[in-house]
Amino acid sequence: MQLLNTSGEGLGRLKLRGKGKVTEQWLLAEPLEAAGASRIACKECGLCGNGVGYEKPLVPENWTKRLLLIIEGRRWLDEYKVSLRRVLDKAGYSGSDVAVYFATRSSSHIEATMRQLRACRPFLLAVIEELKPRSVLLLGDKALHSVLNKGNISVTRARGRLLEMPGLPGYLQTVSDCSKLGNPLLLESIPHIYCSYDPLQSNEGFVQTDLQRNWVKTDWPADELPKDKTVGFDTEYYGTEFLTLGIADEVHAKALEGFEVGKALPILQSATWLVGHSVFEDIAWLRRAGMVVRREWIDGSKVLDSLLLARMDDENQQEYKLETALLNCIFTNPWKDKTENYLADMRGCPPVLRMERCRLDAWAARVLAAKTYYKLDSKLVNFTHRIAAALYRVSLAGAFVDLEKHFLISSELKKKTLALEDQLREAAIQVGMTEFTPTNDGHLRELFYERLGCKPSKWTGKKDLPAVDQITLKLLNHPTANLLLEFNHLDKLNSVQGEGLSKFILPLGSLGYVQFRHNPLGARTGRRSSSEPNSQNWPGPMRQIIRSRWPGGSIGDFDYKSLEPVIIAWDAQDEKLMNAFSKGRGYLDVAEEVLGITVKKGTKPYVAVKSIVNGVHYNMQTKKMADDLWRRLNVHFSEDFKEHVKETGRLRGVYLEKYPGLRVYMARQEERVLKYNLIHSVTGRTRRLPLPEGRHTTGFGHAVNQAINFRVQSLASDITGSAVIDVEAAILADLGISLEEYYDLLLELQRKYLTADPLSSIILPTIPITFIINEVHDDLVIDFHPDLVKKHTELIVETMRAVPTIRKLWPITKEIPLRVDPSISPFWGEGKE
DNA sequence: CGATCACGC
DNA sequence: ACGGCGTGATCG
């Protein structure tokens, strides 16, 4: 059987016989006369093949440019062809998809040396540049070494990564080559280069997997956005000034300066879906500029955020930046660099540049969404966007700070920190040090280990210096070390929540306005995160600076009771554990069951069992658990540490024995992550946990812990996410306010707060309104008008228990019993002591 | 830029 | 080999 005419001379279409039946050939060789390759004379190696055709790439008729395979040399092709053809077929490549070229032009049977590969490399460069393939797959180590120009890397290490070929210039492609989206660009592109094993020396399955990875398999993004008209857009603004609007549909991508945005109205009016990148801020700008904004864009149900979609598509992706993502997926040239300098003030950016940035962002967000949307569960997409939209409104509402209280806490922290620093410096001077800073490790080593004669129990790994980390210092059991620990504690607190917080608080008379920003998919589990400022890590006392904007109003804190234990009990189908947390007294019941004695809340046995329960749920090992109890919680089961560890282990065992569903759940998660290398949550989120070497993979234990935790943590945050949507809806329904009215009110209030004179007092709505002002994992924070406290407290508790949104979308969640613990007080968290 | 520290759930 | 998930300040 002849698959290829190795002379490379012009071929007609061949019919090939394989296993007795006629199949169409998948490669058609054709000389590439125009290729630079054929014009380059090889002066280097003297090992090259002997014919004109040998160095020519094998390109099929009407090649789709989908894939260029690089193999070691033509000599190998005859041996490859059967297995290659099989694997390409299996991976879904047709004959017109694949061209072939070689790392070496040698016809020798001897493996190519690095010297020889380097000599032939210019040909390879020229061929790739000439052929402009969209993907290049390198088969075997020689092809890999040639492309990387580096002989000391294994296929196993390089596999699965996007590779760069030194010396390969970008090449221009017109839009029609690249996309069905009517991309109005001339793109500078480079192919995606990946490597796989030599199919003869390795399992063909690996090669097939590599061929089918998204980057190789996926063609240019199909327009698989929702069927209704979908418009991408972006805005540029400064302060309260609207500057530029970028807008893109399936055929246009244009930018309009603020004064002419009216021209975009027809496109917006015809749109059903809206797409952007971190889109809810942009939607707010549309609304502020008086443009069409549908209710579905406010509530998030007909919005696609390319950033959220990218994160849902691959939660392990390194970056979720629009330009990077698009660069990776369709090789565009960067378009933001020229405008990056103006980020602080886009007014200074030349309009032409600003418009181009805005136009391309709009286009890119839409392209990226099309690339990911079709792969995702639309129910989850809808849910996630509705949560994100509701959280954006939470951030608009903002919270109000008692400025004086914050100042007092902050200055108290500062005062104590300085006092401790003085004491420490004094101690240093007394032992003869002239220079001392408590944050300088060198000074600390000198103080404790040279001057005070303390003996370190640990040395640093790299430089073998005596350690000055917290545990080591604590073990010194020296009064000065204890002072230092207290200093560290207060110093950190002050720099984050004391002085550090001030830059996010806008003074308005005696109050301060602070917006709590939430990243809707901050964690790989589907949890939200909070930043600038991060309101999720405020210690109890710091929370108490938050007060109601209403005179005489209150702050409500609505916690789900033991949300994660309830979820793990439900997921593990452990009836007894479920009863303890859903109907009984939670940790108290568990503690009494485990210890066999009567236990009171807050006592050491209670604290110990609570810690063990949480530790077990996250698969904490006995040693660490014992250590944590001993050091942090001051729970000592015996005076002897070894006995203490033993007892911790025993109690851990008793807990697992009494609630056998837990072990079953954990084993199930381990089994699944081994089998599928990914875990699904109840709402269909995925967590990829690749274990290429099964349980022998480095980090296997960690992956199992993540698998165990994932379903629990993600469902908990989805329930709370639903609560944000549902509580807001319930409050507005009760007040008789439409979502549009509420949204406009929030925008207007925010504008007033941001532009107000710091000395003026705050402006409040003319009617009493209950605001959701924050969400912390299993906790909603509410700002109550005094007239609404009673009525809305009941409403919120009921709504949080019912969470209609998630229960309607995923009816199985109706089985999970939810309890809510409200606490109302003048300041956030004050009622919890 | 990674490690270490602080805080939260 | 590893309790899960975060943000932010600071240092070497």
Side-chain angles (χ1 to χ4, degrees), chain A residues 21 24 26 227 282 322 367 382 389 551 588 668 717 735:
Chain A
K21 63 179 175 178
E24 195 163 358
W26 58 272
K227 293 276 174 275
D282 296 295
L322 186 56
V367 172
N382 174 277
L588 275 174
R668 191 173 70 213
S717 52
L735 294 173

Side-chain angles (χ1 to χ4, degrees), chain A residues 248 306 322-323 326 335 359-369:
Chain A
S306 50
L322 186 56
E323 195 177 76
L326 210 68
W335 65 88
R359 184 177 81 92
L360 294 177
D361 272 4
W363 167 81
R366 194 178 183 281
V367 172
L368 194 62

